[in-house]
Amino acid sequence: MIAFDVVFDRTIGSEGGYQADSRDRGNWTSGEVGKGVLKGTKFGVSAMTYPDLDIKALTVADAKAIYLRDWWQPMKMERMPRGMPFQLFDAAFNHGIGRANQMLQRAAGVKDDGQLGPVSLAAVQAMDHNDLLLRFLSQRLRYMAAIRIWDVYSRGWANRIADNMEFAAADN
């Protein structure tokens, strides 16, 4: 299975440094544009998810600890078949754990309730891992294209999915 350090390096490479784009709801402490405090996002750690954190002062080491504690370990990434740990983690970090789980469930053809229970995990593990990867990335791109601000961020998001496709090929 792909190691946490590899997943972290890849994800942080997509997330980048500090930014405080007022059009991005993730940069607001309330999770709504124009409401709360515009604290921004750094290394993918957002004000919406961590409203009490000093986002601007966040270090790479801080971000790594958050990724591991709040995302990797709770998601029990060791349950994922070959090629999926990075893909699921990156989607979860970008869209939330529940939404990423729904994408995975749709890719596996089971009810998309956002909870990876025994039925979902069995379906995921029974699928050909290449088919699962392709279907998952398809679900993710469909989700992104439906987001209201697609027109603003589509170039970067499309490039992120293209990079993820290359990582999927390398992981297989």
Side-chain angles (χ1 to χ4, degrees), residues 31-160:
E32 292 183 51
V33 172
K35 295 185 179 176
V37 179
L38 178 64
K39 285 184 154 185
T41 299
K42 188 173 182 184
F43 309 130
V45 178
S46 71
M48 177 176 77
T49 306
Y50 298 93
D52 297 325
L53 195 62
D54 182 353
I55 301 293
K56 208 171 203 177
L58 196 71
T59 67
V60 172
D62 295 334
K64 191 170 189 174
I66 289 169
Y67 279 41
L68 181 65
R69 178 192 70 225
D70 296 351
W71 302 86
W72 183 267
Q73 290 171 335
M75 293 177 70
K76 297 181 175 72
M77 297 304 288
E78 71 279 356
R79 303 177 299 182
M80 292 299 113
R82 186 174 66 193
M84 280 307 303
F86 167 69
Q87 301 297 334
L88 184 61
F89 184 86
D90 187 64
F93 204 77
N94 204 216
H95 312 296
I97 292 172
R99 178 95 53 218
N101 287 344
Q102 287 177 315
M103 292 172 195
L104 182 63
Q105 289 169 318
R106 287 183 198 130
V110 296
K111 182 180 176 193
D112 63 343
D113 62 6
Q115 302 297 314
L116 291 185
V119 171
S120 296
L121 287 171
V124 163
Q125 291 166 348
M127 281 190 75
D128 175 87
H129 65 276
N130 288 310
D131 291 346
L132 182 64
L133 281 166
L134 290 169
R135 289 180 181 180
F136 179 80
L137 288 167
S138 167
Q139 289 298 321
R140 186 167 181 199
L141 188 55
R142 287 181 204 282
Y143 172 76
M144 293 169 118
I147 295 174
R148 183 174 30 90
I149 55 174
W150 170 259
D151 292 341
V152 176
Y153 299 110
S154 60
R155 185 178 311 252
W157 291 348
N159 282 325
R160 185 175 188 149

Side-chain angles (χ1 to χ4, degrees), residues 3-20:
F4 170 74
D5 289 335
V6 171
V7 170
F8 175 76
D9 289 344
R10 287 178 182 176
T11 305
I12 203 166
S14 295
E15 291 295 341
Y18 179 76
Q19 61 91 7

